[in-house]
Amino acid sequence: AGMRAADLLLWSTPRDRPGLDFLGHDRLAELPPFVDPGPPPAPRVPYARSAPLRLLVAAMMRPGDKAASYARLAAGLAALPASAPDWRLDILGDGPARTEVEAMFAPLAPRVRFRGAVSDPAETRAAMETADLLPWPGVGEGFGMVYLEAQAAGLPCLAENRPGPAHVLAPEAAGGLPLTDPATPVAYAAGLAA
């Protein structure tokens, strides 16, 4: 009844839209997900193969989809071929599944650093501006604020081809990285290696 009484309903992702079609198209408008991009990002230092690739993740550690994304990332990193560039991963975040997440990355421990929860947006932005890649699979993400924040900081993102990430990440044709096939377990590792 509330929706029928509204003059205008806003939708943010393509999967929201079908649930509103019963109201008629004249009362619907898209409001794409957004963040305040802030100042232009600091000039990016080009990646040099002589140094480890700087990977960054910023995500809560909770059971369900977030833990599933951490698991897919850990599996992808573990499956990287020996020919892949050296890398280091900083993880910003904390939560009730931290012990489980730490266990996922234990085999990769020398290369992974858990930095805990970061409450200062400026600290997160600085970390994004100095990283080379945000590898976050995006299991169950509505759209993923982290992708918008990373892009505002000039940080490339690697995600699986899921509705949420696909809606907010720059397509390959526009200079974005290709989204990997979530149905193929080795696809994420291949995307990371590339």
Side-chain angles (χ1 to χ4, degrees):
M3 288 193 289
R4 284 189 176 92
D7 293 324
L8 182 67
L9 292 166
L10 304 173
W11 56 276
S12 294
T13 68
R15 61 182 163 177
D16 297 336
R17 174 72 189 266
L20 302 173
D21 281 344
F22 74 97
L23 296 167
H25 300 289
D26 59 326
R27 295 180 27 219
L28 302 177
E30 180 182 12
L31 178 64
F34 65 93
V35 294
D36 177 351
R44 187 156 294 282
V45 176
Y47 169 65
R49 281 188 84 76
S50 59
L53 189 67
R54 299 164 301 184
L55 308 178
L56 177 74
V57 164
M60 292 182 273
M61 296 179 189
R62 64 177 185 228
D65 290 338
K66 296 288 188 200
S69 277
Y70 276 113
R72 292 181 80 87
L73 174 59
L77 290 169
L80 283 173
S83 61
D86 191 14
W87 57 270
R88 299 293 180 272
L89 171 65
D90 276 357
I91 298 176
L92 308 180
D94 208 340
R98 181 167 180 150
T99 302
E100 177 186 349
V101 172
E102 287 176 341
M104 292 174 196
F105 289 91
L108 308 168
R111 295 176 162 183
V112 179
R113 179 172 64 156
F114 289 88
R115 293 178 48 186
V118 176
S119 58
D120 181 2
E123 185 179 344
T124 301
R125 172 73 179 234
M128 288 181 169
E129 287 185 2
T130 58
D132 296 310
L133 179 68
L134 184 126
W136 187 243
V139 175
E141 294 284 357
F143 53 83
M145 290 296 292
V146 72
Y147 301 121
L148 297 175
E149 293 165 351
Q151 291 175 106
L155 179 60
C157 304
L158 179 69
E160 291 181 331
N161 192 3
R162 297 176 180 277
H167 186 62
V168 296
L169 289 175
E172 188 176 1
L177 297 176
L179 300 175
T180 65
D181 183 357
T184 308
V186 298
Y188 204 71
L192 285 166

